[in-house]
Amino acid sequence: MWRDLIASRELAWRLMIRDISAKYRQSFLGLFWAVIPPVVMAASFTLAKSGGVVNIGSTGIPYPAYVMFSMTLWQTFVESLNGPVQAVAAAKSMLARINFPREALIIAKLGEVFFNFGIKLILITGLFIWFKIPVTLSVIVAPVALIHMVLLGTFFGVLLAPIGALYQDFSMGLTLATSFWLFLTPVVYPVPSEGLFGNVVRLNPVTPLLVTTRELATTGTMSNPEGFWVASVFAILGLLVAWVIYRLAIPYVVERISS
């Protein structure tokens, strides 16, 4: 497994360049699509909050910046989850005809996730400057929490990738699931402190990773370090298990595709 992982680097790089070029070359707005979703979501919830439609509570930083930054993190998580599923589904004919390290598909999508986040980072930097949000030295370690969140999404994506390659409607169901998952994650609201809904939000493994990334980049604190490390260990160990399952499942997927 490790040998194939190392051998897949060059192919993964070429796949990543191909996918990024194809994605943005064939769209009118190009790279702007990487930042449009968080901007639209932030505008919608800011208008709802200012109109009294929803009561969000205190967020610590200006609410438009809070929502846009949180949505950027959430979108990065969703891309890391959907990436392996989409990559394996799109490469079915390639899997059936060519023998190559299957890890290249996953690594290529991971590279695309970080490339997209690099574009979103321009928006985040502009937000911090516009709203005069102070930055502490803890922002240096914020990428560590972000990487852990991406690993969590990749864990789920690698685990579900073989099923997504066999059933085309699985991707549609995954889109519905992540849409519902969004409202169980403190993206547009702070973490609830009590109640059944608050317990569900706190049990969500994305919550401590997203919240810690946001806190390290803005306030410089960690409100739930224990939850962060539990979710991080869960993400890393889960990804290793998912990798093994992925390796065992792909030959059966290729056999089903070829038959």
Side-chain angles (χ1 to χ4, degrees), residues 177-199:
T178 52
S179 299
F180 177 71
W181 199 347
L182 168 63
F183 292 98
L184 298 179
T185 309
V187 174
V188 298
Y189 56 83
V191 181
S193 58
E194 57 186 14
L196 177 61
F197 182 71
N199 292 332

Side-chain angles (χ1 to χ4, degrees), residues 16 46 108 184 203 211 238 240 246 249 253:
M16 183 189 73
T46 300
L184 298 179
L203 288 174
V211 170
L240 292 175
Y246 173 78
V253 172

Side-chain angles (χ1 to χ4, degrees), residues 39-245:
V39 170
V40 172
M41 180 66 74
S44 301
F45 276 93
T46 300
L47 289 174
K49 183 176 184 294
S50 61
V53 177
V54 293
N55 183 16
I56 301 299
S58 177
T59 55
I61 60 175
Y63 188 67
Y66 180 90
V67 178
M68 274 194 259
F69 187 27
S70 301
M71 274 302 301
T72 298
L73 298 177
W74 172 257
Q75 189 180 8
T76 300
F77 168 77
V78 172
E79 288 176 0
S80 65
L81 192 160
N82 288 331
V85 178
Q86 295 171 351
V88 176
K92 288 191 292 185
S93 59
M94 184 177 171
L95 287 168
R97 298 177 182 178
I98 306 173
N99 184 21
F100 65 96
R102 314 310 193 194
E103 288 77 7
L105 300 173
I106 309 301
I107 297 175
K109 281 300 178 181
L110 273 176
E112 188 176 341
V113 168
F114 286 110
F115 175 83
N116 290 337
F117 183 78
I119 300 172
K120 298 182 184 76
L121 192 60
I122 301 173
L123 171 65
I124 295 172
T125 304
L127 283 173
F128 278 48
I129 296 173
W130 179 265
F131 290 101
K132 300 179 180 179
I133 299 174
V135 176
T136 63
L137 289 177
S138 62
V139 73
I140 299 174
V141 295
V144 176
L146 174 68
I147 290 172
H148 289 187
M149 187 178 66
V150 170
L151 292 180
L152 179 66
T154 306
F155 156 45
F156 291 123
V158 172
L159 192 63
L160 299 173
I163 304 175
L166 294 177
Y167 304 101
Q168 295 182 355
D169 54 350
F170 186 80
S171 296
M172 299 176 62
L174 192 59
T175 301
L176 292 175
T178 52
S179 299
F180 177 71
W181 199 347
L182 168 63
F183 292 98
L184 298 179
T185 309
V187 174
V188 298
Y189 56 83
V191 181
S193 58
E194 57 186 14
L196 177 61
F197 182 71
N199 292 332
V200 172
V201 171
R202 286 191 293 272
L203 288 174
N204 179 356
V206 184
T207 295
L209 300 178
L210 187 146
V211 170
T212 300
T213 306
R214 184 173 61 206
E215 289 176 340
L216 290 175
T218 55
T219 62
T221 61
M222 288 181 64
S223 60
N224 186 13
E226 297 84 3
F228 167 76
W229 288 114
V230 169
S232 297
V233 172
F234 173 71
I236 295 170
L237 295 180
L239 181 57
L240 292 175
V241 173
W243 184 15
V244 174
I245 295 174

